Amino acid sequence: MKNTELINYNVENQKIELDGSIEVVIKREDLIHPFISGNKYRKLKYNLIRAKEIGATSLLTFGGAFSNHIAAVAFAGKSYGFRTIGVIRGNELETMQVLNPTLTFAKSCGMEFKFVSRAAYRQKTSQDFINLLRTEFGEFYLVPEGGTNNLAIKGCEEILVKEDYHYDFICCAVGTGGTISGLINNSKSHQKILGFPALKGDFLQQDICKFANQNNWKLITDYHFGGYGKIKPELISFINKFKRNHNIPLDPVYTGKMMFGIFDLINKGFFSKNSKILAIHTGGLQGVTGMNEMLKRKGQPLIEI
C-alpha cells in the first residue's frame, strides 16, 4: 500500500496572532483527511501496510463510545478492504436503541461491535482475553487501543519535517502516548516536547519511556479538566472563542485542553521571551457532535462547530 493510496495531504502550519514576543503556530494535521485525520492517520499508516503485507483480512481494535480511533479504523477498513471489529468499553451501550454519532458512523462503515464491561475491557492486553476474541471472530490483525505500537510511533515520527526544527517547543495532546513518542524521536536536541495529557495521573510516563529515545520532553498534567471524557464550561468557552478568533476548530478531549494549557502557560510566564511554539492539531473533531448531544442533555453550553 503506497502513501498516496491512503490520503491526500493538506497539512499546513497556521500562525496564531498574539500580542507579545512569543510565536505560536499550529500544525493542521486535522486537515490530512476528513475521516482518518491527524494522529489517527499517522498511527494507522504503517499498521495498514503491515496488515496487507501479511495477508490479514480483518482488523480488531478497542475504544470507548466516542473514540476517534474507532471511527478511523472503521473508515480505513471500509476503504481498504478489511473487515473491522471494535471492542467497545461499556456493555450498557449494547442495549441503546440509537447509537451515538461515533458508533453510528463506525457501523455505517461496516464495523462489527463487541460491547464489554469496564472490568472486562481492562483485560484488553491479556493474551487470554485476546485468545477468546480470536475464538469468537477468527484471525485478525490486532490494533491496540488508540493505535499505539511500534508501527504507530514510526508514523508519528513523520509529523515533524525539517521546516519545523527551528521551533523551541513542540506541544501535543496526549492520550496513549504514541504521538508524543514519535515527536520526541524525530525532534532535535534543542527542542523541548511538551505533552498535555487528557487523563489524570502520571502513569503515561512509563508508557512513553517504552518508545521515546530522547529525554527532551515533559508532561504538563494540570489541564486534563477532570479526565478523559470530562468537560467544563470554562473549556467550552475557550474553544468557542478560539474558533471565532482564529477560525480553527478544537475538540474538547485533546486539542482544546492543549491549547488552553499553552495560552495559560504563556500568561503565567512559563515560556521565555521570543520562544517559538509549534502546537500539533491531532484532529479528533468527529467526537464534537456526540459531545454536544451529551452537553445538551445536561443543559450546558454547546461547542461551536
Side-chain angles (χ1 to χ4, degrees), residues 117 132 217 230 286:
S117 69
L132 288 173
W217 58 279
K230 304 297 178 59
Q286 68 82 29

Side-chain angles (χ1 to χ4, degrees), residues 60-73:
L60 182 142
T61 196
F62 305 86
F66 298 98
S67 169
N68 300 314
H69 174 68
I70 287 291
V73 170

Side-chain angles (χ1 to χ4, degrees), residues 31-201:
L31 299 178
I32 285 181
H33 188 283
F35 302 113
I36 316 173
S37 72
N39 63 345
K40 298 311 170 192
Y41 161 70
R42 302 291 188 179
K43 291 180 176 183
L44 285 174
K45 175 181 174 180
Y46 290 109
N47 276 289
L48 293 177
I49 291 172
R50 179 59 178 160
K52 285 287 188 182
E53 287 175 346
I54 65 175
T57 58
S58 299
L59 307 175
L60 182 142
T61 196
F62 305 86
F66 298 98
S67 169
N68 300 314
H69 174 68
I70 287 291
V73 170
F75 187 86
K78 177 183 177 182
S79 300
Y80 304 109
F82 293 100
R83 173 195 182 197
T84 56
I85 303 120
V87 181
I88 309 299
R89 181 180 63 248
N91 53 359
E92 73 278 1
L93 299 170
E94 190 169 11
T95 60
M96 292 175 58
Q97 292 186 348
V98 179
L99 295 172
N100 70 42
T102 297
L103 297 182
T104 296
F105 173 78
K107 185 177 181 179
S108 74
C109 293
M111 178 173 274
E112 303 167 42
F113 298 133
K114 179 177 178 62
F115 297 95
V116 299
S117 69
R118 283 161 173 75
Y121 190 84
R122 287 193 287 272
Q123 303 303 311
K124 60 185 178 293
T125 59
S126 159
Q127 192 58 53
D128 288 342
F129 185 56
I130 293 170
N131 288 342
L132 288 173
L133 293 172
R134 292 194 190 281
T135 299
E136 181 173 352
F137 294 105
E139 282 300 313
F140 51 75
Y141 181 90
L142 178 65
V143 182
E145 181 184 37
T148 294
N149 58 15
N150 286 319
L151 292 174
I153 307 305
K154 180 180 178 180
C156 289
E157 288 173 359
E158 297 177 351
I159 294 173
L160 293 182
V161 295
K162 62 181 181 179
E163 290 80 10
D164 300 326
Y165 293 145
H166 71 283
Y167 290 100
D168 304 300
F169 295 91
I170 311 295
C171 299
C172 75
V174 180
T176 55
T179 303
I180 190 173
S181 296
L183 293 171
I184 293 165
N185 291 351
N186 197 27
S187 64
K188 299 302 181 182
S189 58
H190 72 273
Q191 296 180 304
K192 185 78 170 182
I193 314 302
L194 301 180
F196 294 79
L199 300 163
K200 289 193 289 186

